């Protein structure tokens, strides 16, 4: 519905990128980003949420036997989100003859806070799908949702090893995630993941 549908976001962000090499063997990095997002979402679509047997309607979700007209369901949501993302690591280059190492150890963190209002409703005016007439839809009343807070902390380590044209990568990561919806129990999750790879570098660089 051109008079009602909307998907609009406005984003503001601040980022900082820091890198310093102490020498050829030690390098540190620290990247940080804060973002604020305001969003509006409105949509109207055929009402498929009713009960086809109450009242009895053999044509559900259509209103007529020719399957041309429907009621419309309308939904609207407005959100405000703040997010903080940070990644800090140190890179070390060293050798354990005859293997060359490039090791990476770091920690990253992400925090999200979302505040939202939403609402829904119905437009019972029969809407012809094949000859649509767009009348003014009444926006639903928006009610506050429970605030959402999420955080994720990750610890990671990786070693890239080279022996001539052979490259091997071994890595491990530990994540801790917390999700807190106001009024509901706090959810805490953690996981350990690993990665391994073996590569061969051809003489022409592939």
């Amino acid at each position: 519905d051109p008079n009602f549908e909307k998907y609009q976001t406005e984003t503001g962000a601040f980022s900082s990128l820091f890198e310093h090499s102490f020498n050829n063997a030690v390098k540190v990095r620290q990247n940080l980003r804060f973002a604020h997002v305001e969003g509006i979402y409105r949509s109207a679509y055929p009402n498929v949420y009713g009960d086809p047997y109450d009242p009895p309607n053999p044509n559900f979700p259509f209103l007529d036997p020719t399957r041309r007209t429907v009621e419309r369901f309308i939904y609207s949501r407005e959100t405000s989100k703040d997010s903080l993302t940070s990644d800090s690591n140190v890179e070390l280059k060293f050798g354990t003859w005859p293997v060359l190492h490039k090791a990476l150890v770091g920690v990253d963190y992400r925090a999200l806070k979302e505040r939202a209002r939403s609402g829904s409703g119905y437009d019972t005016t029969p809407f012809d799908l094949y000859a649509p007439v767009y009348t003014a839809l009444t926006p639903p009343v928006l009610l506050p949702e429970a605030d959402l807070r999420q955080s994720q902390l990750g610890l990671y380590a990786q070693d890239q090893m080279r022996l001539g044209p052979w490259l091997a990568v071994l890595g491990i990561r530990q994540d801790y995630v917390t999700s807190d919806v106001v009024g509901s129990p706090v959810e805490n999750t953690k996981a350990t993941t690993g990665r391994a790879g073996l590569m061969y570098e051809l003489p022409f660089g592939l």
Side-chain angles (χ1 to χ4, degrees), residues 27-138:
K27 179 186 293 185
V28 295
R29 302 182 186 90
Q30 206 292 316
N31 301 322
L32 179 73
R33 185 172 193 261
F34 173 80
H36 177 78
V37 181
E38 299 279 349
I40 299 175
Y41 173 75
R42 294 204 300 253
S43 186
Y45 39 92
N47 175 22
V48 296
Y49 300 105
D51 185 344
Y53 305 105
D54 185 21
N57 180 10
N59 305 303
F60 180 83
F62 302 94
L63 300 178
D64 62 297
T66 61
R67 304 170 72 88
R68 292 185 60 101
T69 58
V70 294
E71 292 182 345
R72 285 187 294 173
F73 179 83
I74 56 177
Y75 178 75
S76 182
R77 190 168 191 259
E78 297 180 358
T79 62
S80 176
K81 299 179 183 179
D82 293 317
S83 65
L84 175 70
T85 305
S86 174
D87 182 24
S88 306
N89 58 63
V90 57
E91 179 185 290
L92 306 172
K93 295 181 180 179
F94 58 94
T96 53
W97 190 90
V99 180
L100 299 177
H101 297 261
K102 182 188 291 185
L104 188 70
V105 179
V107 56
D108 59 34
Y109 177 76
R110 175 178 178 268
L112 171 70
K113 180 180 179 181
E114 180 185 68
R115 298 166 297 279
R117 301 186 306 151
S118 63
S120 60
Y122 298 98
D123 179 31
T124 58
T125 305
F127 183 80
D128 193 325
L129 298 171
Y130 300 96
V133 177
Y134 297 108
T135 57
L137 291 175
T138 302

Side-chain angles (χ1 to χ4, degrees), residues 22 27 69 97 99 159 178 192 204:
F22 291 95
K27 179 186 293 185
T69 58
W97 190 90
V99 180
D159 189 9
T178 299
T192 304
F204 49 88

